[in-house]
């Protein structure tokens, strides 16, 4: 994992991103979804994660769950369409994993993509996401 250590947020190079601050990692025919370092820092202390059901069919940018913090509740949107094939059950007992390791132990769900080649065009690479974060900071 390559990080932007001189910047405020960790943005790994090998992932895709949404403007709603979800990340997507593609491994062969499976995709892993989570929320970004920016999102977990904005939410602060995460106390509960509502996960999607395994077997559920989802469409790109559809809400698939929620993340609840001491500050707010935020929906989790899926970056791609497909079938939820696995969820991170460890988050039920350890929702703080999202704060501690958003790109590792804090992953949310694994999805079997249906139309990845077309839908990936709607996502940002790491450089575009870093640029997007800079525009957000300028408006804050």
């Amino acid at each position: 994992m390559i990080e932007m250590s001189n910047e405020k947020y960790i943005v790994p190079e090998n992932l895709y991103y949404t403007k709603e601050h979800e990340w997507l990692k593609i491994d062969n025919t499976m995709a892993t979804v989570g929320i970004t370092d920016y999102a977990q820092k904005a939410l602060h202390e995460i106390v509960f994660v509502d996960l999607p059901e395994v077997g559920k069919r989802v469409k790109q940018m559809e809400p698939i769950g929620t993340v609840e913090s001491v500050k707010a509740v935020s929906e989790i949107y899926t970056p791609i369409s497909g079938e939820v094939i696995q969820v991170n059950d460890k988050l039920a007992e350890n929702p703080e994993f999202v704060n501690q390791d958003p790109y590792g132990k804090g992953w949310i769900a694994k999805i079997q993509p249906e139309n990845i080649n077309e839908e990936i065009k709607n996502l940002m690479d790491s450089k575009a996401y870093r640029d997007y974060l800079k525009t957000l900071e300028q408006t804050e």
Side-chain angles (χ1 to χ4, degrees), residues 40-56:
Q40 69 85 15
K41 285 180 177 169
L43 288 166
H44 296 281
E45 186 181 336
I46 293 171
V47 295
F48 180 75
V49 181
D50 179 35
L51 299 167
E53 290 181 29
V54 172
K56 180 179 181 180

Side-chain angles (χ1 to χ4, degrees), residues 40-131:
Q40 69 85 15
K41 285 180 177 169
L43 288 166
H44 296 281
E45 186 181 336
I46 293 171
V47 295
F48 180 75
V49 181
D50 179 35
L51 299 167
E53 290 181 29
V54 172
K56 180 179 181 180
R57 293 207 165 279
V58 296
K59 294 195 180 299
Q60 188 175 40
M61 299 316 299
E62 177 180 271
I64 60 169
T66 57
V67 178
E68 184 176 337
S69 71
V70 293
K71 196 174 169 187
V73 176
S74 181
E75 289 191 300
I76 305 165
Y77 297 92
T78 177
I80 55 165
S81 301
E83 180 180 352
V84 177
I85 57 172
Q86 187 179 358
V87 296
N88 189 353
D89 291 329
K90 293 179 180 173
L91 295 180
E93 296 295 322
N94 304 287
E96 68 275 9
F97 283 174
V98 177
N99 292 117
Q100 295 168 355
D101 190 12
Y103 301 108
K105 292 190 301 186
W107 64 274
I108 305 290
K110 294 184 186 285
I111 296 175
Q112 179 73 49
E114 290 179 348
N115 193 13
I116 192 75
N117 291 334
E118 198 57 38
E119 292 182 343
I120 202 102
K121 296 174 188 171
N122 300 327
L123 304 176
M124 293 180 276
D125 63 13
S126 59
K127 181 187 179 313
Y129 185 65
R130 278 194 297 274
D131 290 345

Side-chain angles (χ1 to χ4, degrees), residues 7-9 38 132-140:
E7 296 188 11
K8 196 172 178 180
Y9 305 105
Y38 175 89
Y132 177 65
L133 291 178
K134 287 176 187 170
T135 65
L136 294 179
E137 288 182 342
Q138 290 170 354
T139 59
E140 289 177 357

Side-chain angles (χ1 to χ4, degrees), residues 23-27 30-34 79-80 107-111:
W23 57 263
L24 177 75
K25 180 178 181 182
I26 301 168
D27 291 318
M30 186 172 56
T32 306
V33 176
I80 55 165
W107 64 274
I108 305 290
K110 294 184 186 285
I111 296 175

